[in-house]
Amino acid sequence: MATMFLSWSVFIAVTVLAVQLCIGEKSCNIKSTAGSVVQRGSSFTVYCTFNCKRKGSMYCDDPTTLQTHKDYNSTTIYVNVVNITKSRTYSCRCECCPQLDPCGLDILAGYPPDHPENFTCTYEVRTKESGLLVCTWNRGRDTYLGTRSKLRVRTVTGNHTAGPHSVSSTGTESLSASFAMSRSVQLISVWVEVNNSLGFVESSISEYSLSDIAMPLAPGLYLLECSSRKCIIKVEEPVKTQHVQIEYTADQQTWTTSLDSVVQMNSSQVRSVSSLEPYTLYYFRARSKFSTGIWSEWSANISSWTQEEAPAEELDVWFTEPESDFKSTTVYWKEPNTSISRGKIIGYKVSTGRPNLKVYNISADARSYSVPFCAGCEVTVWACNSKGLSPPARVTTRRTKVKPSLEVRVSAGNYSIAISWTKAETAPLLPTGYVVEWYPEGPQLQELRWVKLDQNEKQTVISGIKAFECYEGAVYVFYDESSVSWTRFKGVATLESAPAAGPMVKEKVEGNEVKITWTELPRSQRRGCISSYSIYLEDSSGHRELYSVASPERTYTINGLSPGVYSLSMSASTSTGGEGPAGQKVKFFIDQEAHISLLLVCGILSVIALFLVCLCQCSAVKQRFFEFFQCFMLDVVPDPANSKWAKEYTQDKDKMSLMLQQSNSSASTEEEEPILVDVEELPKQSSDVSMPTDVSMPTDVSMPTDVSSQLPPQTDLNPGTDPATLLYPPTTYIKSFSHDSDSSDQTQTSLDTNSTVDYISSHGPGNLDEEDEEEEEEEFVGMNFFPSHNIFLDSLEFGGKLTLDAVKIDCSDFFQNT
């Protein structure tokens, strides 16, 4: 019995639990004092009552956040919500019975609807009988709640009133509603009703006359044709209107209204839009309106090019100074804008002018051309399009330079350069115009720009200047077609920074100095105007020297370097950007021999000079030297044997009887040391022909035929004979030197018997051969390398014509015999 009772108890408990789970019994109840929809910014209290034995907890949102609650009684807790700003979800959970479902409450926070704003209505006329009433308004601020808006319409047709009709709105912020309506309606009354969970509002009632708000649909445009100055446009309308307006523009920013005539063609119109420019892309649009009402929407844009015309104006032409060789000059021109070109430029023509007229055809992409230089010629440039040529633009290459009369001031701004000038007080003429040119620094002028100003202009601002670029240019002032002066400016930059790299260096070592050369930095690496260069020289010990070189120098020489290994590098600097990084290092070596090379050269030259001086002491060398350079003498030295005296001597040779001294027979004996003898010059005697040691005889002096009769008899000179008893010592040779007729009249005695000279023998013709042999032997014996006497004591005199004024009697035989 007891067992059966226990079984039934378990069955009943399981059944009750199953029923609870099936019916979803909750563990609690939750509610808010403000309800489930509240206004943002309000405050309220949320209560939670539990059905279990013990109280639970309250949570907010998902993921759940535990809330700090307060106890209301043994089964209820609550939470105060202050200034709610958004919709939230609150929930409670019983901790003792987790199998039971928690309870929850969604609270929506929002605003009541605002009154509609900017309420307007238009009546779009679609056909001749009907149209569509379209009303729009702004709903105001977002309510964050479900809000419904309705358009209410009441119509009046004659004496009949209909409505109000309701139309739901569409849209989000700007709401609209449309209502189909017959064109027979005369008056309408419209308003808007808006409501949500927090409130209800309606707008004020607006009344309209249907004709006042009637608006046709946008017309359709079709382009028929365009010439260079006008376009024909066709306008089509669904419903005929009384007004059509057409506008056009070339830049889609500023629209111009066309006021041209209208041609009516049933349901369409043909409009002529004139006052257009040639070769211009135009955009057109149109709208229409009834006699009353409002304008329609603009039609879709259509576009078209007008046709071309021949260019209307001459080109803006400028030219540079001719090249240094005056072989060519370059002419520049600006690309004409559409208003000048009036068409697509297909090329240019350049003429060098008369007298040799020649025209060059240039491509459309070119902006300059180099023509052969022609002094005083005019260069003419034309632009060409499909319709013809522009007026000729002429520029003369002949310039008469006038002394500069301008004081130019240049200041750099933000991507611009301001240039102003004043006329000097000493200006000779009144200017007729100015030209300002500028270009990036360097020899290339592909980016040459210029502007022409009239005579009243005194300043200009150049825009479009590139940052970190160095510019130069000039201001030209023209006084007439050919008289011009100019003032140049250079080194102008708007922004500068340190150069991006250092120059490339080349070195050349010469002795104890090094010559440094470098190339100019590329434009992209200069970062402004280069003001100076820094040369860093470092020796093997790490000691560094700095040398500064001002721009635009490209070479520098460092001298006085000691032997050793050096490293060299360079950097560049701008005026405001500072110094850039140094370039690649270059190593070179100063040799030790460089310092002693000069001493070695001087020593070698001294040795060579000493050797030549010693060599010249030899008589044979002197003779060879004389023979070698004899061809450079002005006159050939004549042979004394051809003199008149020698010829007379030859004719009377049989009458000459000269006795040779005994000592002459021993010619082959060894040469003894010379004996010095005092020679006394005797006074001239009338009975004898006496010839002192140094006597000059005229060339035309006639010698007696019998020479032997005038010579003293030969006497043997033995050691016992007194040399003073002889009036005239016997003379073997007459030594001759060539003198000019106006040269020194003195004859010098030579004691050098080894000199190779020509003599007239006094021994007679029979001894000529023997004397030749003796001379050869003496010449061979005299080939001593170091002679015993000084060359400077034996003076040689060379001249042109030989005269007997310069005949000298050699007494060497007398001393030899002695």
Side-chain angles (χ1 to χ4, degrees):
M1 194 71 183
T3 303
M4 185 178 295
F5 177 76
L6 180 60
S7 300
W8 277 104
S9 299
V10 173
F11 176 75
I12 293 172
V14 172
T15 302
V16 171
L17 179 61
V19 171
Q20 289 180 348
L21 292 177
C22 292
I23 63 176
E25 183 179 354
K26 294 183 178 181
S27 61
C28 57
N29 293 318
I30 188 170
K31 64 180 180 179
S32 167
T33 57
S36 61
V37 179
V38 298
Q39 187 172 344
R40 292 194 175 194
S42 61
S43 300
F44 54 90
T45 302
V46 178
Y47 291 92
C48 188
T49 302
F50 293 94
N51 297 326
C52 55
K53 296 181 179 179
R54 290 189 301 173
K55 294 180 291 186
S57 302
M58 185 180 294
Y59 301 88
C60 179
D61 293 335
D62 189 17
T64 58
T65 302
L66 181 63
Q67 299 294 303
T68 302
H69 62 269
K70 294 180 180 181
D71 293 336
Y72 182 74
N73 54 31
S74 60
T75 60
T76 304
I77 62 175
Y78 67 94
V79 172
N80 292 322
V81 180
V82 179
N83 190 20
I84 188 171
T85 57
K86 63 179 183 179
S87 299
R88 293 185 179 276
T89 299
Y90 290 91
S91 62
C92 295
R93 183 178 304 165
C94 184
E95 297 177 358
C96 63
C97 300
Q99 70 276 11
L100 299 179
D101 291 339
C103 57
L105 175 66
D106 293 328
I107 298 179
L108 302 179
Y111 299 104
D114 292 336
H115 287 275
E117 298 175 349
N118 301 326
F119 182 77
T120 59
C121 294
T122 58
Y123 181 60
E124 297 180 358
V125 179
R126 307 265 178 128
T127 64
K128 295 180 179 180
E129 293 79 16
S130 64
L132 188 66
L133 177 67
V134 178
C135 296
T136 59
W137 65 92
N138 292 333
R139 68 177 186 177
R141 63 179 177 179
D142 189 4
T143 61
Y144 300 101
L145 301 173
T147 304
R148 293 171 295 277
S149 299
K150 290 184 179 180
L151 176 66
R152 310 284 283 177
V153 181
R154 182 183 295 114
T155 62
V156 177
T157 305
N159 296 326
H160 177 70
T161 300
H165 307 283
S166 296
V167 180
S168 298
S169 64
T170 58
T172 55
E173 295 182 3
S174 179
L175 304 178
S176 64
S178 58
F179 182 74
M181 189 178 298
S182 173
R183 293 188 65 181
S184 60
V185 175
Q186 299 172 346
L187 298 174
I188 58 172
S189 299
V190 292
W191 66 95
V192 175
E193 295 177 352
V194 184
N195 70 299
N196 63 13
S197 301
L198 297 179
F200 171 84
V201 293
E202 64 178 3
S203 66
S204 58
I205 298 176
S206 299
E207 295 183 352
Y208 297 98
S209 173
L210 203 61
S211 60
D212 293 337
I213 59 174
M215 180 183 71
L217 295 178
L221 291 185
Y222 303 94
L223 184 67
L224 299 181
E225 62 176 346
C226 282
S227 62
S228 62
R229 295 290 179 174
K230 69 177 181 179
C231 289
I232 306 300
I233 298 176
K234 181 180 180 181
V235 182
E236 290 188 351
E237 299 177 285
V239 180
K240 181 181 178 181
T241 61
Q242 286 70 41
H243 302 282
V244 174
Q245 184 182 43
I246 298 178
E247 292 184 346
Y248 60 90
T249 182
D251 56 8
Q252 298 190 16
Q253 294 180 356
T254 304
W255 292 86
T256 304
T257 300
S258 173
L259 302 176
D260 291 328
S261 58
V262 179
V263 179
Q264 188 70 40
M265 298 175 58
N266 298 326
S267 60
S268 63
Q269 304 178 35
V270 176
R271 290 289 184 117
S272 176
V273 181
S274 59
S275 302
L276 305 180
E277 293 294 330
Y279 193 65
T280 304
L281 177 62
Y282 283 99
Y283 296 87
F284 303 91
R285 68 182 182 181
R287 63 180 181 176
S288 59
K289 190 181 76 167
F290 297 108
S291 58
T292 59
I294 57 179
W295 287 98
S296 67
E297 297 290 337
W298 288 104
S299 66
N301 294 344
I302 61 172
S303 62
S304 177
W305 284 88
T306 53
Q307 295 184 11
E308 297 183 1
E309 287 184 1
E313 299 180 17
E314 63 183 37
L315 295 173
D316 189 354
V317 180
W318 186 237
F319 79 102
T320 58
E321 291 295 320
E323 302 294 338
S324 57
D325 55 2
F326 285 91
K327 291 184 178 180
S328 64
T329 183
T330 304
V331 181
Y332 297 83
W333 57 86
K334 293 181 180 179
E335 181 181 6
N337 55 34
T338 306
S339 62
I340 296 177
S341 64
R342 294 184 175 182
K344 182 180 180 181
I345 298 298
I346 59 177
Y348 299 92
K349 293 182 179 293
V350 179
S351 171
T352 56
R354 302 181 186 279
N356 297 323
L357 181 62
K358 188 173 183 180
V359 178
Y360 303 90
N361 293 318
I362 315 300
S363 66
D365 298 330
R367 296 295 176 266
S368 63
Y369 188 72
S370 294
V371 297
F373 178 73
C374 174
C377 294
E378 283 187 342
V379 179
T380 307
V381 185
W382 296 270
C384 311
N385 63 13
S386 62
K387 299 298 182 179
L389 300 176
S390 66
R394 295 183 175 88
V395 60
T396 178
T397 59
R398 180 180 68 254
R399 288 179 175 175
T400 302
K401 187 174 181 180
V402 182
K403 183 179 180 181
S405 60
L406 294 181
E407 297 178 359
V408 179
R409 294 178 298 275
V410 181
S411 60
N414 189 15
Y415 300 98
S416 63
I417 298 176
I419 304 174
S420 60
W421 57 89
T422 56
K423 179 182 175 183
E425 297 179 357
T426 59
L429 301 172
L430 292 176
T432 60
Y434 299 94
V435 174
V436 179
E437 71 175 14
W438 66 96
Y439 49 89
E441 187 180 49
Q444 304 298 328
L445 298 179
Q446 287 85 353
E447 300 182 33
L448 175 68
R449 300 291 182 269
W450 69 92
V451 59
K452 295 182 179 180
L453 306 170
D454 59 33
Q455 59 186 1
N456 297 322
E457 297 287 341
K458 294 296 183 293
Q459 62 181 3
T460 185
V461 177
I462 302 171
S463 58
I465 298 298
K466 297 180 181 179
F468 309 109
E469 191 78 74
C470 188
Y471 284 85
E472 59 181 307
V475 178
Y476 293 80
V477 53
F478 287 85
Y479 301 102
D480 52 36
E481 293 183 357
S482 60
S483 298
V484 62
S485 68
W486 58 88
T487 303
R488 295 198 172 275
F489 60 88
K490 62 188 307 183
V492 182
T494 57
L495 292 176
E496 286 185 323
S497 64
M504 298 296 294
V505 182
K506 292 183 179 180
E507 84 289 349
K508 182 178 181 182
V509 178
E510 297 178 352
N512 65 340
E513 67 180 23
V514 58
K515 184 177 181 180
I516 307 167
T517 60
W518 60 91
T519 58
E520 190 175 20
L521 287 174
R523 284 176 52 187
S524 60
Q525 296 181 353
R526 297 177 200 169
R527 310 297 291 169
C529 298
I530 301 298
S531 58
S532 63
Y533 297 95
S534 298
I535 302 175
Y536 296 95
L537 182 66
E538 184 176 351
D539 58 16
S540 57
S541 64
H543 178 69
R544 175 180 286 192
E545 290 287 343
L546 173 63
Y547 302 89
S548 296
V549 183
S551 181
E553 294 293 331
R554 296 289 180 273
T555 61
Y556 189 78
T557 301
I558 303 176
N559 46 30
L561 297 177
S562 302
V565 179
Y566 293 86
S567 62
L568 180 72
S569 62
M570 284 190 65
S571 64
S573 302
T574 57
S575 299
T576 59
E579 183 179 358
Q584 185 177 3
K585 286 188 176 181
V586 176
K587 290 188 176 182
F588 63 92
F589 180 72
I590 299 295
D591 195 356
Q592 177 72 28
E593 298 179 357
H595 290 268
I596 63 174
S597 60
L598 182 61
L599 297 177
L600 290 177
V601 171
C602 294
I604 293 174
L605 291 178
S606 300
V607 172
I608 293 174
L610 181 60
F611 174 76
L612 293 177
V613 169
C614 295
L615 188 63
C616 290
Q617 299 297 322
C618 179
S619 60
V621 174
K622 290 189 293 183
Q623 179 64 24
R624 297 299 181 188
F625 180 82
F626 171 75
E627 292 176 355
F628 179 77
F629 288 97
Q630 189 176 7
C631 60
F632 298 101
M633 298 176 62
L634 296 177
D635 295 320
V636 179
V637 178
D639 188 356
N642 296 326
S643 65
K644 182 179 179 181
W645 182 86
K647 292 179 180 180
E648 292 178 353
Y649 166 76
T650 304
Q651 294 175 358
D652 299 336
K653 60 184 177 179
D654 295 334
K655 300 179 180 181
M656 298 178 62
S657 176
L658 298 177
M659 297 178 65
L660 297 176
Q661 301 178 5
Q662 294 179 358
S663 60
N664 290 339
S665 60
S666 59
S668 61
T669 60
E670 294 181 1
E671 182 179 0
E672 297 179 356
E673 186 175 354
I675 302 174
L676 301 178
V677 179
D678 295 331
V679 179
E680 180 180 1
E681 182 177 350
L682 299 180
K684 182 178 181 181
Q685 297 181 7
S686 60
S687 60
D688 298 323
V689 179
S690 62
M691 189 174 291
T693 304
D694 292 326
V695 176
S696 298
M697 293 191 305
T699 306
D700 298 331
V701 174
S702 298
M703 300 292 293
T705 304
D706 191 359
V707 178
S708 62
S709 63
Q710 299 184 17
L711 293 174
Q714 292 275 348
T715 305
D716 293 336
L717 293 177
N718 50 37
T721 306
D722 187 4
T725 59
L726 294 177
L727 294 177
Y728 299 101
T731 302
T732 306
Y733 300 108
I734 298 176
K735 186 176 181 180
S736 64
F737 292 88
S738 175
H739 292 274
D740 292 337
S741 59
D742 56 350
S743 63
S744 174
D745 56 353
Q746 296 180 355
T747 302
Q748 299 178 356
T749 302
S750 175
L751 298 178
D752 186 3
T753 60
N754 296 327
S755 300
T756 304
V757 294
D758 294 334
Y759 294 97
I760 300 175
S761 176
S762 61
H763 302 302
N767 298 329
L768 291 176
D769 296 335
E770 297 177 0
E771 293 184 88
D772 291 339
E773 295 176 359
E774 292 175 1
E775 287 184 16
E776 291 176 0
E777 292 177 0
E778 291 175 357
E779 183 176 0
F780 179 79
V781 174
M783 287 290 291
N784 297 331
F785 189 82
F786 292 100
S788 60
H789 62 276
N790 197 326
I791 184 175
F792 300 105
L793 298 179
D794 186 10
S795 61
L796 296 176
E797 296 185 9
F798 301 96
K801 181 177 180 181
L802 176 64
T803 64
L804 292 181
D805 302 344
V807 175
K808 181 174 61 176
I809 298 176
D810 189 357
C811 300
S812 60
D813 283 354
F814 169 77
F815 297 104
Q816 292 178 2
N817 295 335
T818 305

